[in-house]
Amino acid sequence: MIFQSRATPVGLCTALISSKWVRVGHSGVAQRHMSRRVSSPTAGPMGDHAGGASVSGPRGAHSPSGSVSLGVGVAGMGALAFGYHLGVINGPLEAIASDLGFGGNATLQGLVVSSLLAFAAVGSLGGSGLADRLGRRRAFLLDAAPLIIGPLISSLATSPAFMIAGRAITGAGIGLSSALVPVYISEVAPPSQRGALGTLNQVLICAGILAALVLNVLVPTRNWRALFWVGALPAVLLGAGMLFLAPETPSWLGLSGQHALADETAHRLWGPGGEALLEADMAGHAKSDGGPKDRAQWGEVVANRGALTGAALFFLQQFSGINAIVYFSSSVFEVGPGDAVQGSSWVQTRAPW
């Protein structure tokens, strides 16, 4: 849960808050769910909901159902958008600067790039609280708005301020998604599959960066506005999927006091043994976190060796040169022979990060 994003300020923020938030959030679920054991609804409704899951028999509770795969896939659009917006600015940055009248102005070019990251860091800090108050699905629906509006503003930009505003709004959206995606995947996945499915967050971030680089090669830089239109598509899929297809997580339903619905959802997602898996999962969290007195405080998190190691890794990544390659390699290759965008894409797709 700590390593949620690539080498950005967002990753550092989430590294420091994730261990504290996950313990507090799940302990609340565990205490409320275990304090009141609610039996499942009648066999009819349960059978209807379970029919949508591609599981049967004892092993079904340990295999991802179709509903789980669908939920993970929809949430993954947030991670894909994260990566895409990190890499999309690389190729057309010089063309954008030329068209919007700030060609050669390194300060404004830097602001176009860094505004995304600055607001992403802010957005990542609010993601967990938003998900607790609204629920995971509704938080994603809210997150889809800046991920659609921001790229569209950038695509219509006629001035540096317009472009920076669009990038800042987009940054707030990817910051929220950096906190929401791994939480949703971990809660909707069966306990035995959380590690494997949790890695998809990183995979999709990298896939988004790669997709942006490929489009940088295929789309002429003079058509840079089209790249931002494409960037809105994952957010459209995220919003529509969360509105019509993806389930709420059993953990949040338990946290919000909807215990019967939590059991029903666990059954639908994880199969006939879903309620038992949810109860065992919540019992494990309750055992590891006995109550408010045992919850981690910020001082404990900062003093924790694991948290410090994770934060140190993010700091060290900032000095590895990865950010210069992700955001400015096309500009760097302008001073050398060959095509700048193709050269930078070749380096990024073959670099060992």
Side-chain angles (χ1 to χ4, degrees):
M1 290 297 293
I2 290 180
F3 302 103
Q4 296 178 12
S5 61
R6 290 180 64 85
T8 67
V10 183
L12 178 58
C13 291
T14 52
L16 290 175
I17 67 174
S18 59
S19 60
K20 176 183 174 66
W21 179 80
V22 169
R23 289 185 64 192
V24 171
H26 279 298
S27 67
V29 178
Q31 290 167 7
R32 295 185 186 200
H33 190 84
M34 295 302 295
S35 65
R36 179 183 165 205
R37 171 64 175 161
V38 180
S39 60
S40 301
T42 60
M46 288 297 290
D48 293 339
H49 284 289
S54 58
V55 292
S56 61
R59 295 187 61 184
H62 301 284
S63 302
S65 69
S67 296
V68 170
S69 300
L70 182 62
V72 171
V74 170
M77 291 300 99
L80 190 70
F82 188 125
Y84 184 87
H85 290 296
L86 288 180
V88 71
I89 201 66
N90 187 316
L93 182 58
E94 295 290 342
I96 292 172
S98 177
D99 288 353
L100 299 186
F102 60 98
N105 189 326
T107 299
L108 284 179
Q109 290 185 31
L111 283 174
V112 169
V113 173
S114 61
S115 57
L116 179 89
L117 301 177
F119 280 81
V122 175
S124 69
L125 294 175
S128 60
L130 192 67
D132 272 351
R133 288 191 297 272
L134 300 180
R136 309 333 185 200
R137 290 177 64 245
R138 279 179 285 189
F140 270 119
L141 290 173
L142 183 62
D143 182 33
L147 288 176
I148 294 173
I149 294 171
L152 296 185
I153 290 176
S154 294
S155 72
L156 299 173
T158 55
S159 67
F162 209 173
M163 172 60 69
I164 291 170
R167 292 282 287 173
I169 293 171
T170 305
I174 67 171
L176 286 172
S177 69
S178 74
L180 296 175
V181 173
V183 169
Y184 182 89
I185 291 177
S186 70
E187 291 184 356
V188 81
S192 62
Q193 296 290 326
R194 282 176 186 161
L197 293 177
T199 62
L200 292 178
N201 181 52
Q202 276 290 336
V203 170
L204 288 170
I205 290 174
C206 295
I209 295 175
L210 179 60
L213 297 177
V214 170
L215 288 177
N216 280 343
V217 174
L218 298 178
V219 179
T221 55
R222 66 178 179 275
N223 296 330
W224 57 266
R225 296 180 188 275
L227 295 174
F228 290 101
W229 281 96
V230 172
L233 294 180
V236 172
L237 295 175
L238 175 67
M242 283 294 167
L243 184 61
F244 298 111
L245 301 174
E248 184 55 86
T249 69
S251 294
W252 185 80
L253 292 171
L255 176 64
S256 62
Q258 303 176 65
H259 304 289
L261 186 55
D263 284 339
E264 181 182 346
T265 303
H267 182 102
R268 178 163 56 95
L269 291 175
W270 304 338
E275 301 95 322
L277 285 174
L278 178 62
E279 183 178 357
D281 192 31
M282 296 302 97
H285 286 294
K287 183 177 179 181
S288 63
D289 190 348
K293 294 181 179 180
D294 295 326
R295 294 176 186 172
Q297 301 300 314
W298 280 108
E300 295 175 306
V301 173
V302 173
N304 182 272
R305 180 176 298 179
L308 289 177
T309 301
L313 288 174
F314 280 106
F315 273 118
L316 292 174
Q317 282 180 319
Q318 304 307 304
F319 294 97
S320 70
I322 179 61
N323 288 333
I325 292 176
V326 169
Y327 306 123
F328 298 109
S329 58
S330 293
S331 300
V332 171
F333 273 83
E334 289 285 356
V335 301
D339 183 89
V341 174
Q342 291 185 21
S344 66
S345 298
W346 187 92
V347 170
Q348 293 185 62
T349 56
R350 287 160 177 79
W353 42 68

